[in-house]
Amino acid sequence: MKGKKLKYVVAGGIVLAALLGLIFSGVKESMVYFYTPTELMAKRESVQGKALRVGGMVVDGSIRWDPQNLLLTFQLTDGQGTVFVRHKGTAPDLFKEGAGAVVEGAWSPEGYFRSSNIMAKHSEEYKPPEHPETLESKKEVFKSILKEAKQ
Amino acid sequence: MIATLGGFVLFLAVGVTLYAAVASVIGARQGREDWVASSRNAVLAHFCLVTLAIFLLEYALITSDFSLRYVANNSTRGSFTRYKIAGLWGSLEGSILLWEWLQSLFAALVVARYGDRHKQLMPYVQAVLQGISVFFLCLMAFGVNPFTRVFPVPPDGRGLNPLLEVTDMLIHPLLLYLGYVGFSVPYAFAMAALITGRLSDEWLSITRRWTVVAWVFLTCGIFYGGWWSYRTLGWGGYWAWDPVENASFMPWLTGTAFIHSVMVQERKRMLRVWNLVLITLTFSLVIFGTFLTRSGILGSVHAFADGPVGVMFLSFLALILFFSFGLIAYRSEKLKGHGELDSIVSRESAFLLNNLVLVGICFTVFLGTVFPLLSEAVRGAKISVGTPYFNRVSVPLGMALLLLMGVGPLMAWGRASLNNLKRNFLKPALGAVAAAAILYALGVREAETLLAFLFAFFVIGTVVFEFWVATRTRARTMSEGLLTAFATLLLKSRRRYGGLIVHLGVVVAIIGIAVSSVYKVEHEQTLKAGESLSIGRYSVRFDGLAAGERPTHILVWANMMAFKDGKPLHELVPGQRFYPNQQSPFASVDARYHWNEDLYVILSAFERDGSSATIKVLINPMISWIWIGGGIILLGVIVAVLPERRLALLAVRTREQPA
């Protein structure tokens, strides 16, 4: 009886060890540090090329979009430090100036953060807009392409 | 008026529910049948009260009564009635009320069905279910009251998040909640079994069907959520290992383990403690998931941010864990199993392994989800593990599960003989190897994909083989037609064959997941009117931008034409929706959905004058198989749980039809 039990304990132990090994290597391979812009600017030399996440607010007026090269550049700030970010491709829906965003990528030796993924964040609190908009004011923006035709 | 009445109803419900819990315990302790009966009435009264509360809030939502803060925040005059109704679960307070209503509904159903049976268990089942309700009611009465007034009354409400103003919003949350709340029933029975010491299989056989139904709601909710996200969110994917997705996935994993391990207890009288632990874990993970979602502790697309609610949920979770594991420890003498594993090559050890893998996946998902919190607490640094971690860990474990899905159901209980193994496995295994070899010859080279296909073919092979052999045998011995024989088989052992159909569905979904993630192609380019981009065998021509007014927003869309191998295939109109008072637009993706390949188009940016647009195109091969697999799972569960009588009736009817 005892030998039999041992067999199951050993079998279970092997499965458990494999599981733990898998978790450990998974964590080790895909661990991503999260920095604020201030922290990144302080440590930028030592973390060059390492996968990182940086979170902050998108600086007002900093977004530049080059449609031909699909290049998006902007600045992220936490109030103290500011990071220049270059992103290849478009940003998600909620990405906008003055709102929070987290970018994933690495510090490039050329002196900017090269982002491979942008995660925009919902603002935590709803604030009513200072100048309430109507459908009409939105319409005005697109008047050059507006059609009445149904689609 | 509604605010006063609603608040009153909530407080009244707290009292009635507390009474129901206490009265049923007193009745059971002192053997007073009248107390238990009175408690049953209180359970029903509780249900009526919460139903009234729901009606009040819905009335306020539909009639745009913005004197309630909740209505002002989640509804607007201009929106359709259906989205006004959906405002009920658009935000924290209302979704707690909906949850509590389902909780009271399930308690009422349990009481109505088993009230006069299971005299020992039922009082405690009632007490546990009412105890859970007390928590949710107190949460509303003292924390997040949906009937809170707002002053001054705003002229119009703020409305739902535009992302949520879609029909899916009417379905997906309800499915998930039904799944979550459903698991409280087997949990309550398990606790009642522990309290009364009636630890035989009574509680399992009563709750088997409840568990499976809760499981299928949760499963459908998860699949539906992925489908919704894929069609509307505009990033081309369906699953992002977002904390809230994980929160629904974790109880699903332990619930799946529970459904399997229950069979081992029924057949072999083993794993009694394990089953109690699993159902406790499942229910705790439901509460933990709600805590993650509602406390806003982890950043997530789905989270509603709120402070004190988190503490209340965490305390409730601690209470559940303390209470459940305390009871298990208290009954540990009585819980000693009678059965023993006879052999490592047997159905029960396959089930054990399946449980180990499922709980293992659950643990890795849990670890990955709370990793930022852990690392901050332990090392003071915010470290997260993203999608690569989850994929890396769950792919091999998922493969193991896939293999077990083929092996488990066909192994004999007790001790599988070599003959048994050969008879059941040889042909499917050879067939799977042959099919995988064909795929290799066709150019599939990725080891992971090949292995996934090998295992998938193996599972399909074993299921089809089993159906075929059993049908043929029956057709011969009973001299029936093959179709009749197959139908009768399904009816005779619905649980087994329903289960096998569910396995088929899971395999189909896994094939979809594997192929769509490995062979996905993506291309993004800025086009002027008349220009095309090509991707794979497709090319997509941009014919110009247009904009139009919709009832609630301005839609800007790109007129596009897709070609396959040079032939016109499909018109596509990806767009962006601009809502008043929302700074950023919302995607309105378009795609050509097809059973073996989706061509998915996103308008990611454009020039205001309409001269050029940036288009992202994705080819998602076999992604529909995921949704089809979900459908097959649902079908299998229906076969497994439909009441006998109804199915028999159906069979008679089909037989009566002239051939």
Side-chain angles (χ1 to χ4, degrees):
Chain A
M1 216 36 148
K2 239 187 172 173
K4 210 168 166 189
K5 248 191 185 149
L6 189 72
K7 209 161 73 182
Y8 294 119
V9 171
V10 169
I14 292 174
V15 175
L16 222 62
L19 193 67
L20 286 177
L22 199 62
I23 292 175
F24 187 73
S25 76
V27 167
K28 221 177 132 186
E29 293 283 314
S30 55
M31 226 163 55
V32 181
Y33 278 85
F34 180 94
Y35 287 142
T36 61
T38 313
E39 284 169 336
L40 174 65
M41 293 317 279
K43 295 182 189 164
R44 59 181 185 265
E45 297 305 324
S46 57
V47 297
Q48 218 171 76
K50 259 171 76 175
L52 300 176
R53 279 185 189 178
V54 182
M57 294 280 262
V58 182
V59 176
D60 270 323
S62 72
I63 299 181
R64 298 274 179 282
W65 166 238
D66 170 3
Q68 281 320 307
N69 301 310
L70 300 178
L71 190 66
L72 186 71
T73 55
F74 54 94
Q75 296 166 30
L76 273 184
T77 183
D78 56 0
Q80 288 182 293
T82 302
V83 177
F84 280 86
V85 183
R86 285 166 77 108
H87 176 80
K88 188 87 179 156
T90 45
D93 280 349
L94 293 164
F95 179 82
K96 60 182 178 228
E97 289 175 349
V102 176
V103 291
E104 210 166 27
W107 183 259
S108 147
E110 285 133 70
Y112 57 85
F113 189 81
R114 184 183 295 131
S115 146
S116 56
N117 188 18
I118 301 178
M119 291 159 281
K121 282 172 77 175
H122 279 283
S123 53
E124 298 281 300
E125 229 171 82
Y126 174 76
K127 286 188 221 89
E130 279 168 37
H131 308 288
E133 290 176 298
T134 58
L135 214 50
E136 292 303 313
S137 62
K138 282 275 180 200
K139 248 163 88 176
E140 195 60 26
V141 178
F142 301 109
K143 63 179 178 213
S144 64
I145 48 173
L146 198 68
K147 281 182 185 171
E148 288 309 321
K150 270 196 182 162
Q151 169 265 328
Chain B
M1 174 59 195
I2 284 187
T4 321
L5 196 58
F8 176 69
V9 167
L10 281 185
F11 278 99
L12 197 61
V14 174
V16 169
T17 313
L18 259 178
Y19 169 76
V22 175
S24 63
V25 174
I26 292 176
R29 297 246 112 189
Q30 303 185 344
R32 297 273 301 272
E33 187 60 31
D34 50 340
W35 280 83
V36 178
S38 159
S39 153
R40 275 203 292 275
N41 292 335
V43 170
L44 300 178
H46 161 209
F47 169 64
C48 294
L49 282 172
V50 184
T51 307
L52 179 60
I54 285 257
F55 267 114
L56 286 174
L57 190 56
E58 281 294 8
Y59 180 77
L61 282 164
I62 293 168
T63 57
S64 297
D65 179 352
F66 299 124
S67 65
L68 292 189
R69 177 185 291 151
Y70 188 81
V71 179
N73 283 348
N74 293 284
S75 188
T76 175
R77 273 182 219 285
S79 94
F80 294 109
T81 308
R82 57 178 181 277
Y83 300 130
K84 289 182 181 170
I85 293 173
L88 177 67
W89 50 93
S91 181
L92 180 67
E93 294 85 349
S95 64
I96 299 280
L97 180 58
L98 175 65
W99 186 303
E100 160 53 21
W101 180 69
L102 290 173
Q103 198 72 60
S104 71
L105 170 69
F106 276 54
L109 285 177
V110 167
V111 163
R113 190 170 163 81
Y114 306 111
D116 45 358
R117 282 180 280 165
H118 311 290
K119 291 244 184 292
Q120 279 76 25
L121 281 182
M122 272 310 287
Y124 293 102
V125 172
Q126 277 160 234
V128 173
L129 285 175
Q130 297 306 292
I132 297 168
S133 278
V134 167
F135 166 71
F136 282 106
L137 285 168
C138 286
L139 198 63
M140 284 187 284
F142 304 108
V144 285
N145 194 330
F147 295 103
T148 308
R149 280 195 194 86
V150 64
F151 193 81
V153 177
D156 194 5
R158 157 196 160 190
L160 273 181
N161 180 336
L163 268 179
L164 300 180
E165 291 220 336
V166 282
T167 326
D168 311 87
M169 179 63 185
L170 305 176
I171 302 167
H172 165 70
L174 289 180
L175 288 175
L176 278 185
Y177 285 3
L178 280 167
Y180 288 153
V181 175
F183 277 117
S184 68
V185 175
Y187 171 75
F189 272 95
M191 291 305 111
L194 279 169
I195 295 169
T196 55
R198 298 172 66 86
L199 292 158
S200 66
D201 300 343
E202 188 186 6
W203 73 273
L204 284 183
S205 53
I206 300 171
T207 58
R208 207 188 43 137
R209 208 168 261 166
W210 288 92
T211 311
V212 174
V213 169
W215 181 87
V216 79
F217 275 125
L218 186 55
T219 311
C220 289
I222 293 173
F223 271 91
Y224 198 99
W227 192 48
W228 177 7
S229 154
Y230 176 65
R231 282 176 305 135
T232 62
L233 285 193
W235 55 284
Y238 50 86
W239 187 262
W241 298 105
D242 175 283
V244 174
E245 290 167 354
N246 296 347
S248 65
F249 191 39
M250 287 188 280
W252 185 87
L253 289 164
T254 51
T256 309
F258 179 69
I259 287 176
H260 289 90
S261 69
V262 158
M263 288 184 248
V264 181
Q265 179 171 343
E266 284 175 345
R267 285 301 279 256
K268 305 290 290 184
R269 307 272 168 277
M270 300 182 333
L271 303 183
R272 290 171 152 201
V273 176
W274 179 238
N275 283 325
L276 291 163
V277 168
L278 272 183
I279 192 62
T280 301
L281 277 183
T282 305
F283 185 64
S284 309
L285 283 169
V286 164
I287 298 297
F288 176 72
T290 322
F291 159 70
L292 277 188
T293 333
R294 306 309 181 226
S295 69
I297 189 164
L298 293 164
S300 158
V301 202
H302 304 62
F304 314 147
D306 211 297
V309 177
V311 180
M312 291 172 90
F313 263 105
L314 218 51
S315 317
F316 184 52
L317 183 63
L319 182 72
I320 290 171
L321 288 172
F322 179 77
F323 172 71
S324 314
F325 284 105
L327 276 175
I328 293 174
Y330 170 66
R331 290 292 182 198
S332 58
E333 258 323 290
K334 268 199 159 176
L335 281 167
K336 289 243 166 78
H338 310 296
E340 277 267 337
L341 267 183
D342 297 322
S343 159
I344 236 167
V345 189
S346 62
R347 169 107 41 105
E348 51 270 36
S349 62
F351 274 164
L352 262 180
L353 208 55
N354 133 311
N355 267 238
L356 213 54
V357 175
L358 281 168
V359 175
I361 299 178
C362 181
F363 180 68
T364 59
V365 172
F366 177 82
L367 201 69
T369 310
V370 301
F371 202 85
L373 300 178
L374 283 181
S375 76
E376 200 172 10
V378 177
R379 298 176 51 182
K382 269 196 182 168
I383 307 173
S384 59
V385 291
T387 309
Y389 162 81
F390 290 108
N391 287 345
R392 211 186 138 94
V393 176
S394 60
V395 167
L397 289 174
M399 294 273 204
L401 218 51
L402 192 56
L403 183 63
L404 283 170
M405 237 183 319
V407 175
L410 299 189
M411 281 231 245
W413 290 100
R415 188 185 292 270
S417 68
L418 204 62
N419 259 341
N420 158 271
L421 290 182
K422 223 166 91 182
R423 197 177 54 236
N424 287 336
F425 293 126
L426 193 62
K427 284 184 188 168
L430 286 177
V433 171
I438 292 173
L439 279 185
Y440 185 81
L442 286 175
V444 180
R445 286 292 182 276
E446 294 78 4
E448 248 170 34
T449 320
L450 273 177
L451 202 63
F453 263 110
L454 180 70
F455 290 170
F457 286 137
F458 175 63
V459 180
I460 295 172
T462 53
V463 174
V464 171
F465 188 64
E466 152 126 18
F467 273 123
W468 167 243
V469 170
T471 306
R472 200 185 45 188
T473 314
R474 188 180 165 89
R476 268 195 205 144
T477 50
M478 312 293 285
S479 50
E480 291 170 343
L482 280 178
L483 221 64
T484 322
F486 180 71
T488 338
L489 266 181
L490 273 190
L491 292 181
K492 289 245 151 141
S493 27
R494 288 172 303 117
R495 207 175 153 193
R496 173 168 179 79
Y497 290 117
L500 287 178
I501 293 174
V502 169
H503 280 187
L504 270 187
V506 173
V507 170
V508 169
I510 288 182
I511 291 177
I513 292 169
V515 173
S516 65
S517 54
V518 173
Y519 295 105
K520 182 173 79 177
V521 188
E522 194 181 313
H523 184 64
E524 191 168 33
Q525 196 175 324
T526 302
L527 299 172
K528 288 199 177 69
E531 286 182 337
S532 303
L533 67 82
S534 51
I535 174 170
R537 295 166 64 188
Y538 299 91
S539 72
V540 182
R541 190 182 67 211
F542 169 55
D543 291 329
L545 275 179
E549 194 180 344
R550 297 290 175 269
T552 54
H553 60 275
I554 303 286
L555 178 72
V556 174
W557 73 90
N559 287 310
M560 311 208 65
M561 188 71 200
F563 299 85
K564 188 176 187 183
D565 299 326
K567 289 187 205 95
L569 180 73
H570 206 269
E571 270 182 51
L572 293 165
V573 281
Q576 289 188 354
R577 289 173 287 156
F578 291 83
Y579 290 84
N581 298 337
Q582 300 274 345
Q583 283 181 34
S584 40
F586 290 93
S588 153
V589 297
D590 199 7
R592 184 210 176 228
Y593 300 108
H594 198 63
W595 70 271
N596 64 353
E597 192 165 80
D598 290 357
L599 181 69
Y600 190 96
V601 193
I602 304 162
L603 172 63
S604 34
F606 60 88
E607 292 300 313
R608 288 272 157 88
D609 60 6
S611 60
S612 74
T614 307
I615 308 287
K616 190 185 233 173
V617 182
L618 291 98
I619 300 177
N620 292 320
M622 290 175 87
I623 208 164
S624 329
W625 285 46
I626 304 174
W627 328 128
I628 295 170
I632 298 176
I633 293 175
L634 179 61
L635 192 75
V637 171
I638 291 174
V639 168
V641 301
L642 258 195
E644 232 112 326
R645 259 173 303 148
R646 197 144 323 147
L647 270 179
L649 219 68
L650 208 73
V652 168
R653 236 178 263 151
T654 37
R655 222 170 288 152
E656 276 167 357
Q657 277 165 8

